[in-house]
Amino acid sequence: MRLLLTGLVFIAVLAVPFFIWGNLFSEDVQVLQEKIRDYGVWPWLAGIFLLVADILLPIPATAVMAALGLIYGPLLGGVVAAAGSFLAGTVPYLCCRTLGRGAGEWIVGSKELEKVERLFGRYGGWAVALSRWMPLLPEVVACFAGLVRMPGRKFFAALACGSIPMGFAFAAMGEMGKDKPVLTIVLSAVVPALLWLIVGRILTRLSLRD
């Protein structure tokens, strides 16, 4: 129960900015493109900053990725979008991991933390990879992954499996002018699962060798 309440608290805290400042950041892709372009030779850096800021602010991450696709095209825009999404998952993971196990036990309790550790031991890779295309969940999952000290190799591999397809899919959608939004959503959800199915098995075999 305490674990569930903690998860709900995390989601509630992350949702607060959406209710307070949501209207300020609910930009159209075209408007975001113009704003990002205003940074001159640094629009890619502005895009990455906005994607990382989505951890605390109600930034429309998928719209930012689409805007990057409009600016740089589906390939380079996809690289920048994927990098921003990857960094946005890395920051909360490292912050919570730095807090240590003591902080995790204080937040959810020792018994609940053991349950989370078992869950992440079995399904952590799937949770990290598949959560990237969902609202709010990516940050919550990354925080829990850090609190239970999910192995870095496993976390970052799963994070890449989720971030890279999503970045390229929405950058491509931006470049295509939103012609195929359903296809984009399907790709950003299905491809991470397929990638983790492969990468997860590879990591399992490598760990057995170690």
Side-chain angles (χ1 to χ4, degrees):
M1 179 61 71
R2 186 173 175 180
L3 174 60
L4 176 60
L5 290 175
T6 301
L8 292 175
V9 169
F10 272 141
I11 292 175
V13 170
L14 291 169
V16 167
F18 285 86
F19 292 106
I20 298 177
W21 299 297
N23 292 332
L24 296 176
F25 295 94
S26 58
E27 303 285 8
D28 182 78
V29 172
Q30 299 286 348
V31 176
L32 276 172
Q33 179 196 16
E34 294 174 3
K35 288 188 175 182
I36 293 175
R37 279 189 183 276
D38 288 341
Y39 286 86
V41 297
W42 302 102
W44 62 271
L45 185 59
I48 290 177
F49 173 80
L50 288 173
L51 290 172
V52 175
D54 183 44
I55 298 171
L56 297 175
L57 295 175
I59 305 293
T62 54
V64 173
M65 293 178 185
L68 290 169
L70 280 171
I71 295 171
Y72 292 109
L75 294 180
L76 184 55
V79 170
V80 178
S85 179
F86 187 88
L87 189 57
T90 299
V91 171
Y93 168 76
L94 291 180
C95 288
C96 289
R97 185 182 176 91
T98 301
L99 291 175
R101 182 180 177 83
E105 292 180 348
W106 181 78
I107 294 172
V108 300
S110 59
K111 292 184 178 180
E112 294 294 326
L113 187 63
E114 290 175 0
K115 292 180 181 179
V116 179
E117 287 175 335
R118 288 195 295 270
L119 285 172
F120 269 81
R122 296 183 62 183
Y123 308 111
W126 290 103
V128 173
L130 296 179
S131 67
R132 299 311 302 169
W133 66 284
M134 300 178 184
L136 298 179
L137 279 182
E139 293 81 9
V140 175
V141 171
C143 285
F144 272 119
L147 286 177
V148 302
R149 304 185 72 81
M150 181 177 176
R153 182 169 67 175
K154 184 177 181 179
F155 174 81
F156 290 120
L159 182 62
C161 287
S163 298
I164 294 174
M166 182 179 180
F168 279 94
F170 280 96
M173 185 181 77
E175 198 270 341
M176 291 185 299
K178 293 186 177 181
D179 288 338
K180 300 178 179 179
V182 176
L183 177 61
T184 303
I185 294 173
V186 170
L187 288 175
S188 64
V190 173
V191 174
L194 295 177
L195 283 177
W196 180 247
L197 187 63
I198 298 171
V199 174
R201 290 184 177 181
I202 293 174
L203 289 178
T204 300
R205 291 179 180 179
L206 288 175
S207 62
L208 290 175
R209 290 180 182 178
D210 294 341

